[in-house]
Structure formats: structure tokens, C-alpha cells
């Protein structure tokens, strides 16, 4: 492990867990890379000149973050009427959670996007007065119209672009399917917004499309979740905003450098959720590519790196990859290396050494498979392939039990009757509540950390 973060806030470290030993002819190298940032939070500190690292806002200081809250105001939000009221209350709670000095706006979303507050094509700066004004504006919103989420995101992007701040974040709430624009239009919007701001997405009730909401969060490097009961919105919005306020460094990239002849199999975030980053590579010089990780506060995440090395003889060893955490330079300055770790390959004729599976790699390979088989099982169930659904969800139960993923095991038990968790023997439940099925699907990518 190396750490080059000098006096930055927070400090970043990289740890690599792998079995570097390969048998003769062996080519695949797997490693779990744990990235940890510490010493950040919202307690302040001194930013490093020329970087995006920021302290908590202090009185009279420029805001270091901007947030736009997008609230679904389509007609379905009035059924039941408590849904719109809970959404207003939740947005007000989020506004109350904003730090002084943070730039913010509220957008009302239907088949069009409307500025609710401040309404002048820009952002307000959070203080007691603007929070009160925002909550007053919220009291005047009502439900009516359709749903075109891409228009909400594009307006949020325009508003966030008016703020010269490192951290730009969106919070999006919907209760229905994206019926008033095509899937291609939404995809184009997500492609346009990716890298410009991060966004947490929430579905309230059970009439929305899981893959739409999780797709938004995935593209914009945020979180996705279900709030089945609208009464839970205020607590959820408060937690989301607290998390956003804890972010201190934006646009961090995981840079993978590989020697000549090494091929990249994949790179995935595997904790706290599974997110395949392989297709998001941006070239960063000879044999190097950057993968986006979004914004960081005080936290730790795990990544699974898989590369294929050229064959080599017994006793030979090589650097298979170098993993660096990179902060882009500002104003054309050079990027900063925050921390770095090395992935190695050593060829041996010791069978015990070359066949041992690193426990971290084994654990996260299972967690990634768990997310995949849950999705496949639910898709099979929806299409009427009950044998396929039983097999996949049975495997999911087995993986959840063996890895200690108690939360996912509990969600699975709402969809299947577990006969024997160890062998993955299950029966599909005849009746499953929509909320239970949607919760399992939405949270299927959540993983448990390996016990180090």
C-alpha cells in the first residue's frame, strides 16, 4: 500500500488483496482493491490548492457543493393524496439538512420540468431565509401531468452548471413509469449528464419501473432504493442529503495501468454495491485508462480487478497492473495521484500456492453472482419460467446464506419459501406483494463486506 495524499482532506489509501501465484500456463489474475478515504466528513479542514478537495463550508465562504432536488409532480402523485404531501415534507426535510452556503434548487417534474425554487434559472444559497422561502414554495406545488424524467435531469444539469463548485448532486423522486418520453431519449439524457453530476434516485410506492430508477442511479454514480410506504420519504430524504453533505472530493477516478501484453478482463465495484465499470473506461495515456468512481466522503469501497497476463515460465514474476486513485487537475493542471497499489503475478509449480483462492476474491465473486442470479430469477418469474426462476432464486438463497448477506436473505424469503438454504432448495411463493418483489430487485446489488 502506498499513500501520496500529503495534506489532503480526506486521506486516501489503497490495499490490494490477491493470490499472486499462478500455475504454469496460468493467465488470469484477480485482485480485490480496497479504497478508503478517512479524515474527511463535514468537520472542515484545509483544501489542497489546485484540486477538488474541499472542507466543510464556513460562514462567508463560497459554497463547495450544489444540490438539485427533483420531485415528481405528475397526476399519479395524488393517488393517494398523502403521497404528494409526504413528498413535500420529504423535500422540506432535505432542505433543512443542507449546510449553510450550499447552492440548491427544487425542480417539479411532470412531462415537463419546472423550477419550483428559486425559479430564476439559477441556484439559491442555503441559509435560514432561503430555506424558509423554499419550503413556502413547496407548499404551493400540486400534482398533474405526465412523466418525462429526462426533462427533469436536463433542467437539473443546467441549474447545477451555473455553480462553480466541485460537488454537484441530484436527488430524484418518481412514483411512476417514464411514459412521456422514449427509453432512447432517457438514455441520451443520462449519457449527456454522466460525469457532470451524481444523482440518487428513489421510487415511491409500487407503480414505477425498477430498471428505470436503478439505471438512472447507475449512470450517474448514485444510489437507488424503494420507499414503498410514502410515510418513509422524509427519513430517507434526510439520510440522502446527510450523505451528500458528507462528500468532500469529486470526480475521483480509478486508473488502471497495465504492461504490454496484459488484457483487461473487467473492473467492477463490488462493495457497497455491485457496479460494472468496465465499459466506462476513458483512455489516460499509454496502456492506462480511468474508471469513474464519483464523489467521496469518509468511506471505503471495494473493487474487483481481473486481468489476463501473457504466459510465463515457472519462477518468473511480473507486475500485472498498477491501480492508482487520480484526482483531475484544475485549470489544466496535472492530475494528482492520491494513492496507489500493485497487482502481481508469480508463476510457481507449488500446487497448493497456485490453487488457493484468495478469500476476498472468492467472497466478492459470490456477491457479484448473487446480484446476477436474483435479477435472472425475477426476470424468469415475470416471464412465466417458474422452473428457471426456482433454480436461480435457489442459488441466490444459497449464496446469501454462505456469504452472511442477511439483508438479502431476508428479502429473498419474501419471494420464496426456503426449504434448505445450504443447498439452495426453495419453492416459489404463490403470492408475492409487489413491494416485496420490487425491494428485492432494487436492492439486489447491495453486498456485504468480506470479513478481513
Amino acid at each position: 500500500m502506498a499513500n501520496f495524499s500529503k495534506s489532503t482532506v480526506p486521506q486516501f489509501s489503497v490495499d490490494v488483496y490477491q493470490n499472486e501465484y499462478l500455475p504454469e500456463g496460468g493467465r488470469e489474475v484477480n485482485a480485490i482493491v480496497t479504497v478508503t478515504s478517512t479524515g474527511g466528513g463535514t468537520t472542515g479542514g484545509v483544501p489542497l490548492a489546485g484540486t477538488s478537495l474541499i472542507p466543510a463550508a464556513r460562514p462567508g465562504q463560497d459554497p463547495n457543493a450544489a444540490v438539485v432536488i427533483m420531485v415528481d409532480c405528475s397526476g399519479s402523485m395524488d393517488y393517494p393524496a398523502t403521497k404528494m404531501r409526504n413528498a413535500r415534507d420529504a423535500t422540506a426535510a432535505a432542505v433543512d439538512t443542507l449546510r449553510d452556503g450550499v447552492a440548491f434548487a427544487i425542480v417539479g417534474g411532470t412531462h415537463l420540468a419546472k423550477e419550483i425554487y428559486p425559479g430564476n434559472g439559477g441556484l439559491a444559497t442555503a441559509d435560514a431565509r432561503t430555506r424558509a422561502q423554499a419550503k413556502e414554495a413547496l407548499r404551493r406545488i400540486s400534482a398533474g401531468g405526465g412523466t418525462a424524467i429526462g426533462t427533469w435531469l436536463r433542467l437539473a444539469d443546467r441549474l447545477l452548471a451555473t455553480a462553480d463548485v466541485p460537488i454537484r448532486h441530484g436527488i430524484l423522486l418518481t412514483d411512476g413509469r417514464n411514459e412521456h418520453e422514449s427509453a432512447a431519449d432517457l438514455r441520451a439524457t443520462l449519457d449527456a449528464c454522466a460525469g457532470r453530476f451524481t444523482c440518487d434516485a428513489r421510487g415511491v410506492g409500487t407503480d414505477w419501473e425498477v430498471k428505470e430508477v436503478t439505471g438512472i442511479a447507475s449512470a450517474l454514480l448514485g444510489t437507488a432504493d424503494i420507499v414503498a410506504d410514502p410515510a418513509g420519504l422524509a427519513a430517507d430524504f434526510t439520510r440522502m442529503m446527510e450523505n451528500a453533505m458528507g462528500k468532500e472530493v469529486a470526480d475521483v477516478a480509478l486508473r488502471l495501468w497495465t504492461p504490454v501484453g496484459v488484457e483487461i478482463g473487467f473492473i467492477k465495484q463490488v462493495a457497497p454495491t455491485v457496479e460494472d465499470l468496465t465499459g466506462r473506461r476513458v483512455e489516460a495515456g499509454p496502456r492506462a485508462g480511468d474508471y469513474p468512481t464519483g464523489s467521496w466522503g469518509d468511506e471505503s469501497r471495494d473493487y474487483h480487478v481481473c486481468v489476463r497476463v501473457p504466459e510465463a515460465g515457472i519462477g518468473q514474476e511480473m507486475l500485472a497492473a498498477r491501480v492508482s486513485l487520480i484526482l483531475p487537475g484544475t485549470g489544466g493542471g496535472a492530475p494528482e495521484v492520491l494513492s496507489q497499489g500493485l497487482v502481481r503475478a508469480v508463476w510457481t509449480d507449488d500446487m497448493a500456492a497456485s490453487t488457493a483462492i484468495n478469500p476476498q476474491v472468492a467472497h466478492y465473486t459470490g456477491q457479484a453472482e448473487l446480484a446476477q442470479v436474483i435479477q435472472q430469477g425475477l426476470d424468469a418469474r415475470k416471464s412465466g419460467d417458474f422452473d428457471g426462476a426456482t433454480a436461480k432464486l435457489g442459488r441466490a438463497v444459497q449464496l446469501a446464506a454462505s456469504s452472511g448477506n442477511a439483508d438479502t436473505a431476508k428479502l429473498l424469503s419474501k419471494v420464496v419459501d426456503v426449504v434448505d438454504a445450504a443447498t439452495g432448495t426453495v419453492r416459489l411463493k404463490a403470492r408475492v406483494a409487489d413491494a416485496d418483489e420490487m425491494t428485492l430487485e432494487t436492492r439486489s446489488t447491495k453486498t456485504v463486506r468480506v470479513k478481513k
Side-chain angles (χ1 to χ4, degrees):
M1 180 190 85
N3 191 319
F4 299 92
S5 52
K6 294 172 282 191
S7 59
T8 58
V9 178
Q11 302 274 319
F12 280 85
S13 63
V14 171
D15 292 289
V16 176
Y17 301 91
Q18 67 163 138
N19 175 14
E20 62 260 45
Y21 294 104
L22 297 175
E24 187 169 17
R27 295 192 59 210
E28 186 171 284
V29 179
N30 287 278
I32 298 300
V33 178
T34 296
V35 178
T36 305
S37 74
T38 54
T42 57
T43 56
V46 181
L48 194 73
T51 75
S52 306
L53 293 172
I54 59 172
R58 288 183 291 276
Q61 188 185 22
D62 290 337
N64 50 40
V67 183
V68 172
I69 305 167
M70 293 158 270
V71 188
D72 192 335
C73 295
S74 62
S76 57
M77 285 292 285
D78 251 349
Y79 301 95
T82 50
K83 205 192 291 181
M84 192 74 234
R85 187 163 68 245
N86 286 132
R88 278 194 212 100
D89 291 346
T91 306
V95 167
D96 278 337
T97 312
L98 286 162
R99 280 204 313 266
D100 279 349
V102 169
F104 77 103
I106 301 167
V107 166
T110 60
H111 53 287
L112 306 166
K114 182 182 175 186
E115 293 178 41
I116 303 296
Y117 183 81
N120 56 7
L123 301 163
T125 300
D127 59 27
R129 181 181 59 85
T130 56
R131 286 193 199 93
Q133 289 174 348
K135 288 186 281 188
E136 183 59 38
L138 279 169
R139 281 195 271 274
R140 296 194 293 269
I141 64 173
S142 57
T147 305
I149 294 172
T151 66
W152 315 355
L153 291 164
R154 286 188 185 271
L155 176 55
D157 185 37
R158 288 197 299 274
L159 293 170
L160 288 167
T162 66
D164 184 17
V165 293
I167 291 177
R168 297 184 181 93
H169 189 70
I171 288 176
L172 184 148
L173 175 72
T174 183
D175 82 323
R177 293 172 175 81
N178 197 39
E179 291 172 337
H180 292 86
E181 68 180 345
S182 68
D185 284 345
L186 179 57
R187 184 73 253 168
T189 296
L190 292 173
D191 289 343
C193 294
R196 292 174 57 79
F197 66 97
T198 54
C199 185
D200 294 323
R202 295 293 185 267
V204 61
T206 56
D207 293 326
W208 48 279
E209 188 63 51
V210 172
K211 286 181 174 62
E212 282 177 356
V213 169
T214 55
I216 291 163
S218 173
L220 302 181
L221 299 174
T223 64
D225 208 352
I226 179 174
V227 186
D229 181 352
L233 279 173
D236 186 72
F237 267 47
T238 301
R239 278 193 301 273
M240 270 195 290
M241 190 62 84
E242 283 172 347
N243 187 50
M245 292 298 94
K247 300 296 183 187
E248 289 213 272
V249 49
D251 302 326
V252 176
L254 206 61
R255 178 169 294 175
L256 198 61
W257 176 89
T258 49
V260 173
V262 174
E263 304 159 17
I264 292 163
F266 60 78
I267 177 164
K268 296 175 185 172
Q269 179 183 287
V270 287
T273 57
V274 178
E275 189 67 63
D276 195 339
L277 301 176
T278 315
R280 301 193 191 189
R281 179 184 174 96
V282 175
E283 294 305 317
R287 301 191 304 282
D290 286 351
Y291 301 85
T293 69
S295 302
W296 288 72
D298 263 13
E299 58 191 297
S300 183
R301 305 180 202 168
D302 292 338
Y303 299 86
H304 186 169
V305 175
C306 173
V307 296
R308 284 184 287 275
V309 294
E311 289 185 30
I314 298 300
Q316 290 191 266
E317 59 179 272
M318 71 175 289
L319 175 63
R322 184 170 63 234
V323 182
S324 307
L325 221 58
I326 302 292
L327 194 65
T330 55
E336 185 193 357
V337 179
L338 298 173
S339 193
Q340 202 171 81
L342 304 177
V343 180
R344 299 172 63 240
V346 180
W347 283 266
T348 180
D349 55 6
D350 182 337
M351 283 293 287
S354 65
T355 56
I357 299 176
N358 175 271
Q360 276 85 354
V361 172
H363 175 83
Y364 285 124
T365 300
Q367 292 291 289
E369 185 192 350
L370 174 59
Q372 184 180 41
V373 291
I374 288 172
Q375 197 62 64
Q376 291 171 341
L378 291 175
D379 287 347
R381 187 177 173 278
K382 285 173 193 165
S383 69
D385 175 10
F386 299 122
D387 288 344
T390 303
K392 294 293 183 185
L393 294 172
R395 174 64 176 151
V397 165
Q398 186 180 32
L399 287 164
S402 64
S403 66
N405 195 330
D407 288 346
T408 300
K410 189 174 174 182
L411 296 176
L412 280 161
S413 70
K414 304 271 186 73
V415 177
V416 295
D417 291 315
V418 179
V419 179
D420 184 349
T423 61
T425 307
V426 302
R427 284 190 300 266
L428 294 184
K429 287 186 184 288
R431 297 177 68 84
V432 177
D434 288 346
D436 290 334
E437 184 178 1
M438 291 172 74
T439 302
L440 175 60
E441 186 176 1
T442 307
R443 297 180 184 170
S444 62
T445 59
K446 283 184 165 53
T447 56
V448 287
R449 300 297 293 270
V450 67
K451 292 181 177 66
K452 301 280 197 297

